């Protein structure tokens, strides 16, 4: 049996240019006090500690792209899907790069639309991302550019998070 985990974060983020470090800002975060801020490095450490075969992080927050490096459960699945599923994966989708994103999220809107309209039995996270990325770019009031990739130093071995339609 393969264990999978999904992590979704929608909220505020901050990029510290001086330290080249991104942060998640929880609801109790204060602008001038970093004690409640969660560094991207801590998020990566948590993800690295999760004992799953596949983990997919979806983050809708300003500067969330800072988490990236530069760039058989499925008996009836195609061979390529089975191979991607057999390897550990630590992937992330973020609503933007190292920029601010709008509070009213077109990222979540199009992610949700594509999941709801999906007819495929097996859908890889990268394939899903490809289906809504252009729509976000074309409809974002801030010209945000969503990102997809592997999470640095978290145990990714080239697999993929596979959504299974039920």
């Amino acid at each position: 049996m393969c264990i999978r985990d999904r992590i979704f974060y929608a909220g505020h983020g901050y990029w510290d240019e001086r330290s080249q470090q991104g942060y998640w800002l929880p609801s109790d975060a204060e602008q001038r006090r970093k004690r409640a801020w969660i560094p991207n490095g801590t998020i990566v450490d948590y993800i690295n500690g999760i004992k799953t075969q596949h983990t997919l992080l979806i983050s809708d927050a300003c500067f969330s792209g800072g988490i990236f490096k530069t760039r058989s459960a499925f008996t009836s699945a195609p061979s390529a899907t089975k191979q991607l599923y057999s390897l550990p994966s630590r992937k992330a989708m973020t609503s933007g790069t190292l920029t601010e994103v709008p509070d009213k999220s077109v990222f979540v809107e199009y992610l949700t639309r594509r999941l709801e309209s999906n007819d495929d039995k097996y859908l890889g996270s990268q394939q899903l991302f490809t289906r809504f990325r252009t729509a976000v770019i074309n409809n974002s009031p801030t010209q945000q550019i969503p990102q997809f990739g592997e999470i640095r130093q978290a145990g990714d071995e080239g697999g993929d998070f596979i959504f299974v339609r039920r």
Side-chain angles (χ1 to χ4, degrees):
M1 181 170 123
C2 184
I3 300 173
R4 302 177 319 150
D5 197 7
R6 298 153 313 279
I7 303 165
F8 179 81
Y9 174 73
H12 294 284
Y14 176 78
W15 178 257
D16 184 337
E17 188 64 40
R18 189 174 48 109
S19 67
Q20 296 290 293
Q21 173 68 38
Y23 295 89
W24 289 9
L25 305 180
S27 61
D28 63 345
E30 297 176 33
Q31 183 175 0
R32 301 201 188 282
R33 301 185 77 184
K34 288 185 177 180
R35 73 172 170 224
W37 299 13
I38 304 169
N40 282 348
T42 300
I43 302 302
V44 171
D45 288 346
Y46 288 151
I47 291 170
N48 194 29
I50 297 172
K51 301 303 175 204
T52 59
Q53 178 79 2
H54 304 283
T55 300
L56 174 64
L57 166 68
I58 301 175
S59 177
D60 182 18
C62 297
F63 309 104
S64 55
I67 201 158
F68 290 116
K69 67 180 175 183
T70 50
R71 310 218 165 224
S72 177
F74 307 119
T75 55
S76 63
S79 177
T81 300
K82 290 178 186 177
Q83 287 179 305
L84 288 173
Y85 190 73
S86 71
L87 298 169
S89 66
R90 300 293 184 268
K91 306 287 192 246
M93 291 181 201
T94 66
S95 58
T97 56
L98 298 179
T99 59
E100 293 185 15
V101 296
D103 286 339
K104 185 172 188 283
S105 179
V106 294
F107 175 81
V108 171
E109 176 185 343
Y110 286 102
L111 166 68
T112 303
R113 280 187 191 184
R114 296 310 184 262
L115 283 170
E116 289 173 345
S117 67
N118 173 52
D119 289 330
D120 295 333
K121 173 81 175 161
Y122 305 104
L123 179 63
S125 59
Q126 186 169 10
Q127 187 179 11
L128 169 64
F129 179 77
T130 301
R131 290 181 182 182
F132 74 89
R133 180 178 192 248
T134 301
V136 173
I137 294 168
N138 290 340
N139 293 287
S140 169
T142 61
Q143 299 174 336
Q144 70 193 85
I145 301 173
Q147 302 291 300
F148 178 89
E150 296 82 22
I151 301 172
R152 280 183 241 126
Q153 300 174 343
D156 185 88
E157 294 182 18
D160 197 1
F161 187 96
I162 307 293
F163 291 86
V164 181
R165 186 173 51 84
R166 302 203 189 273

